[in-house]
Amino acid sequence: MNVVVSPSSCERDDWMQSLEGKGVWRRHEPMAAHTTLAVGGPARWFFRPADRAALIAAIKACPADIVILPLGRGSNMLAPDTGFDGFVVDLSELDAVAFDGCSLRAGAGARMSRVARQCAEHGLSGCEFMATVPGDIGGGVAMNAGCFSQQVSDSLRCIEVILRDGSVIEMRKSDLHMGYRRTDLPTGSIVVSATFELKPDSPEEIRERMRSMRSRRSSTQPLAQPNCGSVFKNPAGDHAARLIEAAGLKGFRIGGAQISEQHANFIVNNGDASSADIVALIRRAQAAVKQHSGIELEPEVRMVGEWEYLLAGGDHG
Ligand SMILES: Cc1cc2nc3c(=O)[nH]c(=O)nc-3n(C[C@H](O)[C@H](O)[C@H](O)COP(=O)(O)OP(=O)(O)OC[C@H]3O[C@@H](n4cnc5c(N)ncnc54)[C@H](O)[C@@H]3O)c2cc1C
């Protein structure tokens, strides 16, 4: 497998020295350790800022020609086996959550499941679905995550984003044109925090709704194996899982990757899958569904980085 590290990489590390003491930083950090699919080669630069000031310092220090990738829990991310030739910023330390009446402000790194639990404690409804989505608030905003007829955009009021030049601006929901698993963030920006407007409700009823969502999840999804949730968006009026099953691919394997026997819109890593296996399975499912039903499935999982090595017939499994 080819790892993308240019000969000049040591000279290019100077800017990272300024981040010493401001968080955790590493070179060649395996993306497999940071994605729920448990695949992906090394990120050339990786930083987990200790706080917001460290995040801003890092964005300002990072040379303009280096691509920055915000990372939440990696629960909707597929990185190439060859690695990510850029700067991965792990936001998990920016996890403060604060309530003010019916309003909630959460840092990008706050886990959605924790936010849901805290909303229930405060008797505030609108975030119940987050109890079942294994990502962070920043990733939830970027994806407009949702399920059980609720989504982030329903209760979101505004967000703070840091732009590529290090400046921080507030954006209202209406600026973001949020749709089904879609949010228009400014290019190269990072969500720092999100503010939600919630509705008062009985904590017990909120908890009951969360319990019911969780139990529906565990009976229908392959949660014991590494996966990234739904691989494809549902096409209008249909379900990607039904289409994949109808095309005869339920349980189909390529290398260590498999279309789940339990839920055909999930790809699971049986332990030794490569990113190339998963991409090959994604392509196979798209081709089979197109041939069987005439529908083009659009991936929901974010394929980050460069994938040319696969097109060029490189590594596979
Ligand atoms: C078992 C399972 C069940 C799931 N169920 C659902 C579901 O029901 N509904 C649903 O919508 N999704 C679901 N998902 C997918 C995933 O959890 C969501 O998309 C989630 O919102 C991703 O959050 P994350 O923090 O893991 O983001 P990541 O996977 O880390 O990132 C996803 C994308 O968002 C970007 N991003 C992350 N953080 C930021 C930030 N702070 N600023 C800007 N961009 C950022 C990343 O660069 C990447 O492009 C499921 C996943 C799994 C594994």
Side-chain angles (χ1 to χ4, degrees):
M1 181 186 306
N2 302 317
V3 175
V4 184
V5 180
S6 80
S8 59
S9 74
C10 292
E11 298 153 33
R12 298 222 64 200
D13 287 344
D14 291 354
W15 62 278
M16 284 294 270
Q17 310 294 335
S18 69
L19 305 179
E20 192 67 59
K22 293 189 167 85
V24 174
W25 68 271
R26 300 191 188 115
R27 286 192 292 131
H28 313 312
E29 173 71 2
M31 291 297 285
H34 298 277
T35 58
T36 57
L37 273 166
V39 295
R44 187 156 160 191
W45 298 282
F46 174 93
F47 183 53
R48 183 183 303 130
D51 54 29
R52 181 191 178 103
L55 169 64
I56 293 170
I59 301 307
K60 286 185 171 164
C62 179
D65 60 329
I66 291 177
V67 179
I68 298 179
L69 176 69
L71 172 72
R73 298 288 156 172
S75 63
N76 197 44
M77 193 179 278
L78 179 56
D81 300 310
T82 47
F84 182 77
D85 189 22
F87 183 32
V88 172
V89 182
D90 174 346
L91 296 148
S92 55
E93 294 292 332
L94 277 67
D95 64 351
V97 174
F99 289 87
D100 179 9
C102 287
S103 150
L104 150 75
R105 182 173 158 165
R111 275 194 185 248
M112 284 193 272
S113 56
R114 176 164 73 94
V115 169
R117 256 194 329 273
Q118 294 189 343
C119 287
E121 279 160 24
H122 283 77
L124 291 172
S125 171
C127 291
E128 288 89 328
F129 74 99
M130 291 187 189
T132 66
V133 184
D136 288 346
I137 286 292
V141 169
M143 294 303 306
N144 192 17
C147 49
F148 299 107
S149 309
Q150 285 184 327
Q151 55 188 352
V152 166
S153 56
D154 295 346
S155 50
L156 186 73
R157 187 172 75 200
C158 60
I159 60 173
E160 281 180 299
V161 294
I162 177 164
L163 302 177
R164 190 58 182 86
D165 64 2
S167 58
V168 178
I169 59 164
E170 185 174 291
M171 298 183 77
R172 288 161 304 161
K173 179 170 68 176
S174 55
D175 300 329
L176 302 172
H177 311 112
M178 297 172 88
Y180 171 51
R181 304 295 167 268
R182 193 192 122 201
T183 300
D184 288 349
L185 291 169
T187 306
S189 67
I190 298 179
V191 176
V192 183
S193 75
T195 301
F196 297 87
E197 277 307 316
L198 304 167
K199 293 197 176 73
D201 199 352
S202 133
E204 204 29 63
E205 284 182 24
I206 294 170
R207 286 197 189 97
E208 184 45 44
R209 284 197 289 275
M210 283 163 41
R211 266 195 293 274
S212 145
M213 289 173 184
R214 272 195 295 260
S215 88
R216 281 166 68 188
R217 276 298 159 108
S218 52
S219 59
T220 54
Q221 298 182 354
L223 302 180
Q225 289 157 292
N227 70 78
C228 64
S230 296
V231 173
F232 298 104
K233 294 184 182 185
N234 286 321
D238 212 331
H239 288 95
R242 190 198 72 75
L243 292 164
I244 295 166
E245 198 172 340
L249 285 186
K250 202 170 189 179
F252 189 78
R253 292 169 190 247
I254 295 182
Q258 183 177 19
I259 294 183
S260 167
E261 300 270 11
Q262 201 177 352
H263 190 311
N265 197 18
F266 277 54
I267 289 178
V268 295
N269 176 351
N270 281 328
D272 57 353
S274 63
S275 303
D277 292 339
I278 293 167
V279 170
L281 212 41
I282 288 174
R283 292 211 178 112
R284 184 65 175 262
Q286 284 175 312
V289 167
K290 175 82 179 156
Q291 192 183 21
H292 187 265
S293 315
I295 292 174
E296 297 203 10
L297 289 179
E298 183 190 344
E300 178 171 322
V301 62
R302 291 278 178 93
M303 293 173 61
V304 301
E306 301 294 332
W307 294 90
E308 275 75 14
Y309 79 104
L310 279 181
L311 299 175
D315 248 3
H316 179 194

